[in-house]
Amino acid sequence: MSFLKIIEEYQDFNIDAFFDRVTEAGVRRAIGQDRLSAMDYLTLLSPRAESCLEEMAQKAHRLTVQHFGRTMLLFTPIYTANYCVNRCLYCSFNAGNKLHRTKLTPKEVSAEAEIIAATGLKHILLLTGESRQHTPVSYIKDCVRLLKRRFTSISIEIYPLNREEYSELSEAGVDGLTLYQETYDRDAYACLHPSGPKRDYIYRLDAPERGCRGGMRSVNIGALLGLSRWRREAFLTGLHADYLQSSYPDVEISISPPRMRPHLGGFQPAVNVTDTNLVQYVTAFRLFMPRSGITLSTREPAGLRNNMTKLGVTKMSGGTSTAVGGRSNGSEAGQFSIADERSVEEMANMLYRQGYQPVFKDWQAV
Amino acid sequence: MPDTLKIGGRELTSRLFLGTGKFAGNKLISGVVNASGVQVITVAVRRVDTSFAEENILTYIPEDCILMPNTSGARNAKEAVRIARLARAAGCGNWIKIEVISDNRYLLPDNHETIKATEMLSAEGFIVLPYMSPDLMDARRLADAGAAAVMPLGAPIGTNRGLRTGELIRILIEEIPLPIIVDAGIGRPSEAAEAMEMGAAAVLVNTAIATADDPVAMGRAFGMAVAAGRMAYLSGPGAVQQCASASSPLTGFLSQEGCNELS
């Protein structure tokens, strides 16, 4: 079984006709459900549900406090390479872009890690561009070996691997996998990924599942909002999360709702996803999957992140640089421009002011 | 003679145990402890960070409390055992609450793996308090494996749904010769009192206190409710009856001599 089968079940589903039939009473009924069906979730993603956003937000807040407490896990990314063989139109690392390509040496990885560790963070997300040639699994393992000295939880966001490779990295100390499908819309996917191994939609789609099988403790998925119609993307992301959670109950499945940010190249988002849309997505997902994590990154500006602290989000990044070695060598050529440049300390203080506890450590590798 | 709960060679006067995972700030913990009289506090080993005093939860546990690390995050017996050993190596003492959860949708404990971990850790000298789904046979296995107490859930973690498994917990209280500590699901002080009236040895509460608008006041309320429930249990509550006592009993004629036959 693959999530592809579920996508295909909805291939001819007329989402607009469904939205046309949604009534306000139907939205309120969906909000009131203890356990939402897929159609309840889609109801909450409908344009009609925008009029009930406050009720959705109230319930999302209540459920999140109930299951996660007033806490927020903090983490940060570490970019160790930007070589890439793909040509994703929306990404600065696109192989066709003129960008200084580099890869951190072990000494440089340690230097960058030392700066991050001084902030007190224990959770780190290791990122590279997608190039097996420049950053093979052996290189990732070398980085993990160094990061393990300073961090208790290591996640990866790299090119999709096969199951054996995920197992290999899991045994090396990686406990989390982040991998975005970018878009579940197959036609848009084909246009946005004109060349490189990333053109293989299905291989990428099944990668989170291979990660679950390979021993990852947590798997984070998402669609890059702005590439296709967001309501359908949010729906399929939710179904994907639900599919993974049902199939792999011992893995913590979470989602991210990243929105497009400025980057190298002239590609502009096909769809404008507003703050209201983002809040609707996050609160609807929280009602659909009350115990799943939701990550809000520094793609979003400080004010919005502050306001979304109480709307279902459980994990935030801080002290972020999307450039390779951006903290230790001053590089500014990142994968995308970040919108919230606050330090970890500033993030922690913001959370305390809101009555939330910043959590620096929530896993200890065993 | 004072009414105390004896576990692992310690005598406890408070029968309210406190979980710590959901507080808005670690600084709240000492306030709750003072207000509630709690003597046993459980802390997830995954959250303990001895390298960062300011954010280290252990910094906020009063010294006179018993620290009961828990194995939150363990998906099987092997991971639970490793986490327990880590806790002991980090100076967290000998008590360990075993949590083995391999289901992230409902967070229900895996009794089978919990029994295995209990057996291994008891053999290593830990004071083992396993969290479990209430099941008589599994509770017996835990007792045989060396558990110091058994901790059945009242309802799934964090749900505040109360004593949904009350009938099963009642059976454990009657049959298992160990303290039965109701863990998870208790959402109101009245439900904690109900568990104590049933004969539970103690209750463990986190969500209901930590996520209250005023956790300190809620901690105090739980402390009082647990004490009241225990006192009621010891006082021998009257039998529960379905009907009121009839003022004209149907069998009254049997005690009236000479009136027991139709004339």
Side-chain angles (χ1 to χ4, degrees):
Chain A
M1 174 82 178
S2 156
F3 180 61
L4 182 65
K5 194 165 177 235
I6 293 173
I7 290 184
E8 285 172 349
E9 283 173 15
Y10 287 96
Q11 196 72 40
D12 300 321
F13 181 76
N14 189 334
I15 204 165
D16 292 320
F18 178 87
F19 285 156
D20 284 343
R21 290 195 300 274
V22 171
T23 61
E24 196 167 307
V27 173
R28 291 187 198 285
R29 193 163 50 243
I31 293 173
Q33 299 288 344
D34 268 349
R35 179 153 185 192
L36 276 67
S37 67
M39 288 303 107
D40 288 329
Y41 176 47
L42 188 58
T43 297
L44 297 186
L45 292 170
S46 69
R48 179 81 66 184
E50 282 181 26
S51 62
C52 301
L53 209 49
E54 179 59 26
E55 286 169 70
M56 289 167 63
Q58 291 289 346
K59 187 171 179 187
H61 174 61
R62 199 167 60 245
L63 286 171
T64 310
V65 169
Q66 185 183 334
H67 293 300
F68 295 87
R70 290 187 172 89
T71 65
M72 186 72 68
L73 181 66
L74 294 178
F75 75 103
T76 204
I78 177 170
Y79 283 76
T80 65
N82 59 9
Y83 290 97
C84 194
V85 294
N86 296 313
R87 291 178 182 267
C88 314
L89 300 185
Y90 48 84
C91 180
S92 297
F93 289 176
N94 178 326
N97 285 339
K98 284 186 180 169
L99 177 74
H100 173 64
R101 304 286 168 172
T102 184
K103 175 171 89 169
L104 297 186
T105 64
K107 199 174 167 187
E108 289 166 336
V109 170
S110 292
E112 186 84 353
E114 190 177 345
I115 293 170
I116 296 169
T119 65
L121 290 180
K122 295 293 181 190
H123 288 242
I124 197 154
L125 175 63
L126 168 62
L127 294 100
T128 65
E130 298 200 2
S131 172
R132 276 183 178 271
Q133 184 194 341
H134 293 93
T135 52
V137 171
S138 57
Y139 172 78
I140 305 295
K141 278 172 74 175
D142 289 343
C143 291
V144 169
R145 201 171 300 121
L146 295 168
L147 295 175
K148 270 169 72 176
R149 294 177 189 164
R150 300 179 191 279
F151 303 97
T152 62
S153 172
I154 301 167
S155 297
I156 51 167
E157 187 175 343
I158 61 171
Y159 47 87
L161 305 176
N162 63 40
R163 180 182 163 174
E164 290 69 30
E165 289 168 327
Y166 282 128
S167 295
E168 197 180 334
L169 288 180
S170 171
E171 280 161 25
V174 174
D175 56 84
L177 166 66
T178 287
L179 200 133
Y180 300 143
Q181 184 61 24
E182 317 294 13
T183 175
Y184 288 89
D185 177 338
R186 289 186 82 161
D187 294 336
Y189 189 93
C191 293
L192 291 161
H193 306 100
S195 70
K198 195 168 174 178
R199 273 188 69 75
D200 191 337
Y201 175 95
I202 296 173
Y203 188 72
R204 191 171 188 88
L205 187 73
D206 289 339
E209 183 160 8
R210 292 195 297 275
C212 291
R213 287 182 177 161
M216 293 292 159
R217 297 185 56 81
S218 62
V219 170
N220 183 40
I221 60 170
L224 183 55
L225 302 177
L227 300 182
S228 185
R229 300 174 63 196
W230 77 266
R231 295 180 202 274
R232 192 177 182 90
E233 299 283 55
F235 179 56
L236 290 173
T237 302
L239 292 192
H240 196 179
D242 183 54
Y243 163 79
L244 291 170
Q245 193 63 85
S246 296
S247 307
Y248 304 93
D250 61 337
V251 181
E252 292 175 16
I253 305 297
S254 59
I255 65 141
S256 297
R259 286 195 292 185
M260 287 277 307
R261 289 287 303 155
H263 57 93
L264 282 182
F267 179 80
Q268 290 301 313
V271 176
N272 180 36
V273 182
T274 66
D275 290 357
T276 301
N277 298 153
L278 184 65
V279 168
Q280 186 178 357
Y281 174 16
V282 167
T283 54
F285 179 78
R286 168 57 67 232
L287 269 58
F288 181 51
M289 295 193 65
R291 287 192 171 86
S292 289
I294 300 175
T295 302
L296 196 64
S297 77
T298 53
R299 286 172 178 269
E300 302 302 337
L304 183 65
R305 293 220 298 168
N306 294 355
N307 285 321
M308 289 189 71
T309 298
K310 294 183 177 174
L311 295 183
V313 176
T314 58
K315 198 170 168 183
M316 285 186 178
S317 47
T320 296
S321 166
T322 66
V324 177
R327 300 173 186 84
S328 50
N329 64 18
S331 171
E332 292 179 354
Q335 187 185 26
F336 55 87
S337 304
I338 61 173
D340 183 354
E341 298 188 341
R342 285 177 293 184
S343 66
V344 173
E345 189 181 2
E346 288 169 323
M347 286 297 296
N349 289 335
M350 178 276 288
L351 291 167
Y352 278 127
R353 280 196 299 276
Q354 296 218 45
Y356 274 63
Q357 177 168 209
V359 174
F360 288 73
K361 175 174 178 281
D362 196 34
W363 181 240
Q364 174 76 58
V366 290
Chain B
M1 201 166 80
D3 170 45
T4 57
L5 171 59
K6 295 182 182 122
I7 297 179
R10 302 290 293 267
E11 283 197 43
L12 308 169
T13 52
S14 169
R15 291 169 181 269
L16 173 64
F17 292 15
L18 183 67
T20 54
K22 294 179 177 174
F23 281 99
N26 289 331
K27 289 173 185 164
L28 279 167
I29 294 171
S30 59
V32 171
V33 169
N34 289 335
S36 63
V38 156
Q39 292 173 303
V40 178
I41 299 180
T42 188
V43 169
V45 176
R46 63 195 283 175
R47 286 273 178 95
V48 173
D49 183 3
T50 50
S51 69
F52 193 19
E54 197 182 330
E55 297 297 339
N56 181 14
I57 192 166
L58 296 184
T59 312
Y60 301 90
I61 307 293
E63 277 185 13
D64 53 352
C65 284
I66 295 172
L67 176 64
M68 177 168 68
N70 68 63
T71 63
S72 165
R75 300 180 295 184
N76 51 49
K78 203 169 146 188
E79 289 184 354
V81 168
R82 284 186 191 162
I83 293 171
R85 289 173 183 159
L86 266 177
R88 185 149 72 180
C92 293
N94 253 8
W95 287 45
I96 190 80
K97 178 190 161 194
I98 299 183
E99 275 186 44
V100 180
I101 292 175
S102 52
D103 164 62
N104 276 290
R105 209 185 275 281
Y106 297 100
L107 300 181
L108 292 173
D110 183 332
N111 283 358
H112 180 68
E113 292 293 312
T114 301
I115 294 164
K116 285 201 283 186
T118 299
E119 197 164 17
M120 293 165 76
L121 291 170
S122 298
E124 293 182 20
F126 282 92
I127 308 298
V128 182
L129 293 92
Y131 169 58
M132 70 168 318
S133 284
D135 176 272
L136 177 60
M137 274 52 75
D138 283 344
R140 284 184 175 137
R141 290 183 186 106
L142 287 168
D144 291 344
V150 174
M151 305 181 79
L153 58 88
I157 288 178
T159 58
N160 286 344
R161 285 174 182 264
L163 280 176
R164 296 300 175 111
T165 61
E167 288 306 314
L168 298 173
I169 290 176
R170 191 186 302 279
I171 293 169
L172 300 194
I173 290 170
E174 288 169 5
E175 298 296 329
I176 303 299
L178 291 174
I180 303 298
I181 301 169
V182 179
D183 182 2
I186 290 180
R188 301 282 183 274
S190 55
E191 293 156 359
E194 187 187 346
M196 298 307 295
E197 286 173 11
M198 278 168 51
V203 298
L204 191 151
V205 180
N206 177 18
T207 306
I209 294 175
T211 66
D213 289 343
D214 184 343
V216 173
M218 188 59 86
R220 183 178 297 118
F222 265 99
M224 293 164 78
V226 167
R230 178 65 182 173
M231 191 180 291
Y233 171 73
L234 293 175
S235 304
V240 175
Q241 300 186 40
Q242 289 295 325
C243 305
S245 298
S247 54
S248 301
L250 293 173
T251 56
F253 68 94
L254 294 172
S255 59
Q256 295 172 26
E257 279 183 33
C259 295
N260 55 352
E261 291 177 15
L262 289 173
S263 55

Coordinates of all heavy atoms in Angstrom, one line a residue, chain B residues 23-79:
Chain B
F23 N 3.5 21.9 32.1 CA 3.4 23.2 32.7 C 3.9 24.4 31.8 O 4.8 24.2 31.0 CB 4.2 23.2 34.0 CG 3.5 22.6 35.2 CD1 3.9 21.3 35.5 CD2 2.6 23.2 35.9 CE1 3.2 20.6 36.5 CE2 1.9 22.6 37.0 CZ 2.2 21.3 37.3
A24 N 3.3 25.6 32.0 CA 3.7 26.7 31.2 C 5.1 27.2 31.6 O 5.6 28.1 30.9 CB 2.7 27.8 31.4
G25 N 5.6 26.7 32.7 CA 6.9 27.1 33.1 C 7.3 26.2 34.3 O 6.5 25.9 35.1
N26 N 8.6 25.8 34.3 CA 9.0 24.9 35.4 C 8.9 25.5 36.7 O 8.8 24.8 37.7 CB 10.5 24.5 35.1 CG 10.6 23.6 33.9 OD1 9.7 22.8 33.6 ND2 11.8 23.7 33.2
K27 N 9.0 26.9 36.8 CA 8.9 27.6 38.1 C 7.6 27.3 38.8 O 7.5 27.5 40.0 CB 9.1 29.1 37.9 CG 10.5 29.4 37.5 CD 10.7 30.8 37.1 CE 12.1 31.1 36.6 NZ 12.3 32.4 35.9
L28 N 6.5 26.9 38.0 CA 5.2 26.7 38.6 C 5.2 25.5 39.5 O 4.4 25.3 40.4 CB 4.2 26.5 37.5 CG 3.6 27.7 36.9 CD1 2.8 27.3 35.6 CD2 2.7 28.4 37.8
I29 N 6.2 24.6 39.2 CA 6.1 23.2 39.9 C 6.2 23.4 41.4 O 5.5 22.7 42.2 CB 7.2 22.3 39.3 CG1 6.9 22.0 37.9 CG2 7.4 21.0 40.1 CD1 8.0 21.3 37.1
S30 N 7.2 24.2 41.9 CA 7.3 24.3 43.4 C 6.1 24.9 44.0 O 5.7 24.4 45.1 CB 8.6 25.0 43.7 OG 8.5 26.3 43.2
G31 N 5.4 25.8 43.3 CA 4.2 26.4 43.9 C 3.1 25.3 44.0 O 2.4 25.2 45.0
V32 N 3.0 24.4 43.0 CA 2.0 23.4 43.0 C 2.4 22.4 44.1 O 1.5 21.9 44.9 CB 1.9 22.7 41.7 CG1 1.1 21.4 41.7 CG2 1.4 23.6 40.6
V33 N 3.7 22.1 44.3 CA 4.1 21.1 45.3 C 3.7 21.7 46.7 O 3.1 21.0 47.5 CB 5.6 20.9 45.2 CG1 6.1 20.1 46.4 CG2 5.9 20.1 43.9
N34 N 4.0 22.9 46.9 CA 3.7 23.5 48.2 C 2.2 23.5 48.5 O 1.8 23.3 49.6 CB 4.2 25.0 48.3 CG 5.8 25.0 48.4 OD1 6.4 24.0 48.8 ND2 6.4 26.1 47.9
A35 N 1.4 23.8 47.5 CA 0.0 24.0 47.7 C -0.7 22.6 47.9 O -1.7 22.5 48.5 CB -0.6 24.7 46.5
S36 N -0.2 21.6 47.2 CA -0.9 20.3 47.2 C -0.3 19.3 48.2 O -1.0 18.3 48.5 CB -0.7 19.7 45.8 OG 0.6 19.5 45.5
G37 N 0.9 19.5 48.6 CA 1.5 18.6 49.5 C 2.1 17.4 48.8 O 2.5 16.4 49.5
V38 N 2.3 17.4 47.5 CA 2.8 16.3 46.7 C 4.2 15.9 47.2 O 5.0 16.8 47.5 CB 2.9 16.8 45.2 CG1 3.9 16.0 44.5 CG2 1.5 16.6 44.6
Q39 N 4.4 14.6 47.3 CA 5.8 14.1 47.7 C 6.5 13.3 46.6 O 7.7 13.1 46.7 CB 5.6 13.2 48.9 CG 5.2 14.0 50.1 CD 4.9 13.1 51.3 OE1 4.1 12.2 51.2 NE2 5.6 13.3 52.4
V40 N 5.7 12.9 45.5 CA 6.3 12.2 44.4 C 6.1 12.9 43.1 O 4.9 13.3 42.8 CB 5.8 10.7 44.3 CG1 6.4 10.0 43.2 CG2 6.0 10.0 45.6
I41 N 7.1 13.2 42.4 CA 7.0 13.9 41.1 C 7.6 13.1 40.0 O 8.8 12.6 40.1 CB 7.8 15.3 41.2 CG1 7.1 16.1 42.4 CG2 7.7 16.0 39.9 CD1 7.8 17.5 42.5
T42 N 6.9 13.0 38.9 CA 7.5 12.2 37.8 C 7.9 13.2 36.7 O 7.3 14.2 36.4 CB 6.5 11.2 37.2 OG1 7.2 10.4 36.3 CG2 5.3 11.8 36.6
V43 N 9.1 12.9 36.1 CA 9.7 13.7 35.1 C 10.2 12.9 34.0 O 10.7 11.8 34.2 CB 11.0 14.5 35.7 CG1 11.8 15.1 34.6 CG2 10.6 15.4 36.8
A44 N 9.9 13.3 32.7 CA 10.3 12.5 31.6 C 11.8 12.7 31.4 O 12.3 13.8 31.4 CB 9.6 13.0 30.3
V45 N 12.5 11.5 31.3 CA 14.0 11.6 31.2 C 14.3 12.3 29.9 O 15.3 13.0 29.8 CB 14.5 10.1 31.1 CG1 16.0 10.2 30.9 CG2 14.2 9.4 32.4
R46 N 13.4 12.2 28.9 CA 13.7 12.9 27.6 C 13.8 14.4 27.7 O 14.4 15.1 26.9 CB 12.6 12.5 26.6 CG 11.2 13.0 27.0 CD 10.1 12.4 26.2 NE 10.0 12.9 24.9 CZ 9.1 12.5 23.9 NH1 8.4 11.4 24.2 NH2 9.1 13.0 22.8
R47 N 13.2 14.9 28.8 CA 13.2 16.4 29.0 C 14.3 16.8 29.9 O 14.6 18.0 30.0 CB 11.9 16.8 29.7 CG 10.7 16.8 28.8 CD 10.5 18.2 28.1 NE 9.4 18.1 27.2 CZ 8.2 18.6 27.5 NH1 8.0 19.1 28.7 NH2 7.2 18.6 26.6
V48 N 15.0 15.9 30.6 CA 16.0 16.3 31.5 C 17.3 16.7 30.8 O 17.8 16.0 29.9 CB 16.4 15.1 32.5 CG1 17.6 15.4 33.3 CG2 15.2 14.7 33.3
D49 N 17.7 17.9 31.1 CA 18.9 18.5 30.4 C 19.9 19.0 31.5 O 19.8 20.2 31.9 CB 18.5 19.6 29.5 CG 19.7 20.1 28.7 OD1 20.8 19.6 28.9 OD2 19.5 21.1 27.9
T50 N 20.8 18.2 31.9 CA 21.7 18.5 33.0 C 22.7 19.6 32.6 O 23.4 20.2 33.4 CB 22.4 17.3 33.6 OG1 23.0 16.6 32.5 CG2 21.4 16.4 34.3
S51 N 22.8 19.8 31.3 CA 23.9 20.7 30.8 C 23.4 22.1 30.8 O 24.1 23.1 30.4 CB 24.3 20.3 29.4 OG 23.3 20.5 28.5
F52 N 22.1 22.4 31.1 CA 21.5 23.7 30.9 C 20.6 24.0 32.1 O 19.4 23.8 32.1 CB 20.7 23.7 29.6 CG 20.4 25.1 29.1 CD1 21.0 26.3 29.6 CD2 19.3 25.2 28.2 CE1 20.6 27.5 29.1 CE2 19.0 26.5 27.7 CZ 19.6 27.6 28.2
A53 N 21.3 24.5 33.2 CA 20.6 24.5 34.5 C 19.3 25.3 34.5 O 18.3 24.9 35.0 CB 21.5 25.2 35.6
E54 N 19.3 26.4 33.7 CA 18.1 27.3 33.7 C 16.9 26.6 33.1 O 15.8 26.8 33.6 CB 18.4 28.6 32.9 CG 17.5 29.7 33.1 CD 17.8 30.9 32.3 OE1 19.0 31.1 31.9 OE2 16.8 31.6 31.9
E55 N 17.1 25.8 32.1 CA 16.0 25.1 31.5 C 15.8 23.6 32.0 O 15.0 22.9 31.5 CB 16.1 25.1 30.0 CG 16.1 26.5 29.4 CD 14.8 27.3 29.6 OE1 13.8 26.6 29.8 OE2 14.8 28.5 29.6
N56 N 16.7 23.2 32.9 CA 16.6 21.9 33.4 C 15.5 21.7 34.4 O 15.6 22.3 35.5 CB 18.0 21.5 34.0 CG 18.0 20.0 34.5 OD1 17.1 19.3 34.1 ND2 19.0 19.7 35.3
I57 N 14.6 20.8 34.1 CA 13.4 20.7 35.0 C 13.8 20.2 36.4 O 13.2 20.5 37.4 CB 12.4 19.7 34.3 CG1 11.1 19.7 35.0 CG2 13.0 18.3 34.2 CD1 10.0 19.1 34.3
L58 N 14.9 19.4 36.5 CA 15.3 18.9 37.8 C 15.7 20.0 38.8 O 15.5 19.9 40.0 CB 16.5 18.0 37.6 CG 16.3 16.7 36.8 CD1 17.6 15.9 36.9 CD2 15.1 15.9 37.4
T59 N 16.1 21.2 38.2 CA 16.4 22.3 39.1 C 15.2 22.8 39.9 O 15.3 23.4 40.9 CB 16.9 23.5 38.2 OG1 17.8 23.0 37.3 CG2 17.5 24.6 39.0
Y60 N 14.0 22.5 39.4 CA 12.8 23.0 40.0 C 12.0 22.0 40.9 O 10.9 22.2 41.3 CB 11.8 23.5 38.9 CG 12.5 24.6 38.0 CD1 13.2 24.3 36.9 CD2 12.4 25.9 38.4 CE1 13.9 25.3 36.2 CE2 13.1 26.9 37.7 CZ 13.8 26.6 36.6 OH 14.4 27.6 35.9
I61 N 12.6 20.8 41.0 CA 12.0 19.8 41.9 C 12.5 20.0 43.3 O 13.7 19.9 43.6 CB 12.4 18.3 41.4 CG1 12.1 18.2 39.9 CG2 11.7 17.3 42.3 CD1 10.7 18.2 39.5
P62 N 11.6 20.2 44.3 CA 12.1 20.4 45.7 C 12.8 19.2 46.2 O 12.5 18.1 45.8 CB 10.7 20.6 46.4 CG 9.7 21.1 45.4 CD 10.2 20.4 44.1
E63 N 13.8 19.5 47.0 CA 14.8 18.4 47.4 C 14.1 17.3 48.2 O 14.5 16.2 48.2 CB 15.9 19.0 48.2 CG 17.0 19.5 47.3 CD 18.2 20.0 48.0 OE1 18.3 19.7 49.2 OE2 19.0 20.7 47.4
D64 N 13.0 17.7 49.0 CA 12.4 16.7 49.8 C 11.4 15.9 49.1 O 10.7 15.0 49.7 CB 11.7 17.4 51.1 CG 10.8 18.5 50.6 OD1 10.8 18.9 49.4 OD2 10.1 19.0 51.5
C65 N 11.2 16.1 47.8 CA 10.3 15.2 47.0 C 11.1 14.0 46.4 O 12.3 14.1 46.2 CB 9.7 16.0 45.8 SG 8.4 17.2 46.3
I66 N 10.3 13.0 46.2 CA 10.9 11.8 45.6 C 10.8 12.0 44.1 O 9.7 12.2 43.6 CB 10.2 10.5 46.0 CG1 10.4 10.3 47.5 CG2 10.6 9.3 45.2 CD1 9.5 9.1 48.0
L67 N 11.9 11.9 43.4 CA 11.9 12.0 42.0 C 11.6 10.6 41.3 O 12.3 9.7 41.6 CB 13.2 12.6 41.5 CG 13.4 12.7 40.0 CD1 12.5 13.7 39.4 CD2 14.9 13.1 39.7
M68 N 10.6 10.6 40.5 CA 10.3 9.3 39.8 C 10.4 9.6 38.3 O 9.5 10.1 37.6 CB 8.9 8.9 40.1 CG 8.4 7.6 39.4 SD 6.9 6.9 40.1 CE 5.7 8.2 39.6
P69 N 11.6 9.4 37.7 CA 11.8 9.6 36.3 C 10.8 8.6 35.5 O 10.5 7.6 36.0 CB 13.2 9.2 36.0 CG 13.9 9.0 37.3 CD 12.8 8.8 38.4
N70 N 10.4 9.0 34.4 CA 9.6 8.1 33.6 C 10.2 7.9 32.2 O 11.0 8.7 31.7 CB 8.1 8.6 33.5 CG 8.0 9.9 32.7 OD1 8.3 9.9 31.5 ND2 7.5 10.9 33.3
T71 N 9.8 6.9 31.5 CA 10.4 6.5 30.3 C 9.6 6.9 29.1 O 9.6 6.3 28.0 CB 10.6 4.9 30.2 OG1 9.3 4.3 30.2 CG2 11.4 4.4 31.4
S72 N 8.9 8.1 29.2 CA 8.1 8.6 28.1 C 8.9 8.6 26.8 O 10.1 9.1 26.8 CB 7.7 10.1 28.5 OG 7.3 10.8 27.4
G73 N 8.4 8.2 25.7 CA 9.1 8.2 24.5 C 9.5 6.7 24.1 O 9.8 6.5 23.0
A74 N 9.5 5.9 25.1 CA 9.9 4.5 24.8 C 8.9 3.8 24.0 O 7.7 3.9 24.4 CB 10.2 3.7 26.1
R75 N 9.3 3.1 23.0 CA 8.3 2.4 22.1 C 8.3 0.9 22.4 O 7.4 0.2 21.9 CB 8.6 2.7 20.7 CG 8.5 4.1 20.3 CD 8.8 4.4 18.9 NE 10.2 4.1 18.5 CZ 10.7 4.3 17.3 NH1 10.0 4.8 16.4 NH2 12.0 4.0 17.1
N76 N 9.3 0.4 23.1 CA 9.4 -1.0 23.5 C 10.2 -1.2 24.7 O 10.7 -0.2 25.3 CB 10.0 -1.8 22.3 CG 11.3 -1.2 21.9 OD1 12.2 -0.9 22.7 ND2 11.5 -1.0 20.6
A77 N 10.2 -2.4 25.2 CA 10.9 -2.7 26.5 C 12.3 -2.3 26.5 O 12.9 -1.7 27.4 CB 10.7 -4.2 26.9
K78 N 13.0 -2.6 25.4 CA 14.4 -2.3 25.2 C 14.7 -0.8 25.4 O 15.6 -0.4 26.2 CB 14.8 -2.7 23.8 CG 16.3 -3.1 23.7 CD 16.5 -3.7 22.3 CE 17.8 -3.4 21.7 NZ 17.9 -3.8 20.4
E79 N 13.9 0.0 24.8 CA 14.1 1.5 24.9 C 13.8 1.9 26.4 O 14.5 2.8 26.9 CB 13.2 2.3 23.9 CG 13.7 2.1 22.5 CD 12.9 2.9 21.5 OE1 11.9 3.6 21.9 OE2 13.3 3.0 20.3

